[in-house]
């Protein structure tokens, strides 16, 4: 993962907030996971990314199960993909060690279709509120010489942002505009190294820049803007 550079930013408010960017490789690299993804018929692949600010390690439960799907997942870490039967799930996330009854974040009715590959991102902040976003990691229709990027605005204390492609500094181009908190957008890009700029005050000047190295084609990547924080 490339290092991010952050500075104090806020859009439409006098109170500064700090934002950073994280990138997580998704499919098809999941096929090499040591967690044992098998692609069994009638199953879906699911992983969880922990970006909840001020939340320590967590345990993830499904449908009030006694046993955790994932245990001790630390802040800013992505769990490996798990094969789960297709169906609809009620997900509970509890501070580790915990049980489903100790849930600090619940996501009900999460539908996972057979053959799907998804990333559930837990984000927000413990006192301000937590949420879960489900990202589609499908490579359907993706060329081998392109990458698919799921861009998500998960910085709870930052308003709308514009995302610029500033790879060519002499010809910056808007990639996504007026992206609201909790919004997710998907773009396919040719394989290559990219420099992204995040503008939080609508002045056309990036407040944060993030370098994406050249990544293997035919794969999906999550690029998530998140508030900086550390678990207490």
């Amino acid at each position: 993962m490339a290092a991010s550079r952050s500075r104090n930013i806020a859009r439409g408010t006098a109170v500064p907030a700090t934002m950073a960017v994280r990138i997580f490789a998704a499919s098809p690299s999941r096929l090499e996971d040591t967690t044992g993804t098998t692609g069994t018929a009638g199953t879906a692949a699911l992983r969880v990314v922990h970006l909840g600010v001020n939340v320590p390690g967590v345990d993830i439960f499904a449908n009030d199960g006694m046993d955790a799907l994932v245990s001790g997942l630390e802040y800013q870490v992505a769990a490996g993909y798990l094969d789960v039967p297709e169906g609809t799930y009620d997900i509970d996330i509890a501070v580790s060690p915990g049980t489903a009854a100790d849930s600090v974040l619940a996501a009900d009715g999460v539908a996972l279709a057979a053959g799907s590959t998804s990333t559930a991102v837990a984000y927000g902040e413990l006192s301000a509120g937590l949420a879960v976003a489900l990202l589609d990691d499908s490579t359907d229709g993706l060329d081998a010489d392109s990458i698919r990027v799921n861009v998500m605005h998960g910085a709870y204390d930052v308003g709308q942002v514009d995302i610029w492609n500033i790879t060519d500094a002499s010809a910056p181009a808007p990639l996504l505009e007026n992206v609201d908190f909790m919004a997710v957008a998907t773009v396919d890009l040719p394989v290559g190294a990219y420099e992204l700029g995040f503008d939080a005050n609508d002045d056309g000047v990036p407040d944060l820049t993030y370098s994406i190295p050249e990544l293997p084609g035919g794969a999906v990547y999550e690029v998530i803007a998140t508030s900086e924080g550390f678990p207490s």
Side-chain angles (χ1 to χ4, degrees), residues 17-197:
T18 305
M19 188 170 72
V21 177
R22 311 293 174 199
I23 184 169
F24 300 91
S27 57
S29 57
R30 73 175 184 84
L31 300 178
E32 302 172 3
D33 272 349
T34 58
T35 51
T37 299
T38 61
T40 305
T43 65
L46 176 68
R47 70 169 176 176
V48 179
V49 175
H50 176 2
L51 292 177
V53 176
N54 295 325
V55 181
V58 296
D59 299 335
I60 294 102
F61 300 86
N63 296 338
D64 294 319
M66 295 294 295
D67 297 322
L69 291 178
V70 179
S71 298
L73 182 63
E74 296 296 328
Y75 177 57
Q76 297 185 353
V77 173
Y81 284 92
L82 298 173
D83 273 344
V84 297
E86 64 177 310
T88 300
Y89 290 85
D90 294 338
I91 304 296
D92 285 290
I93 299 177
V95 173
S96 183
T99 68
D102 303 318
S103 178
V104 296
L105 173 58
D108 294 337
V110 177
L112 300 175
S116 64
T117 304
S118 305
T119 294
V121 182
Y123 66 102
E125 196 271 340
L126 186 59
S127 61
L130 299 167
V132 173
L134 192 68
L135 308 185
D136 183 3
D137 294 339
S138 169
T139 57
D140 290 349
L142 181 63
D143 295 333
D145 57 356
S146 296
I147 61 173
R148 179 162 293 158
V149 181
N150 290 324
V151 182
M152 177 182 164
H153 180 354
Y156 73 94
D157 47 4
V158 176
Q160 277 189 343
V161 298
D162 299 329
I163 303 172
W164 289 73
N165 180 354
I166 56 174
T167 306
D168 181 352
S170 65
L175 190 63
L176 296 167
E177 296 183 278
N178 299 322
V179 181
D180 291 311
F181 172 56
M182 302 177 71
V184 178
T186 300
V187 293
D188 289 356
L189 299 170
V191 168
Y194 289 91
E195 187 84 2
L196 300 183

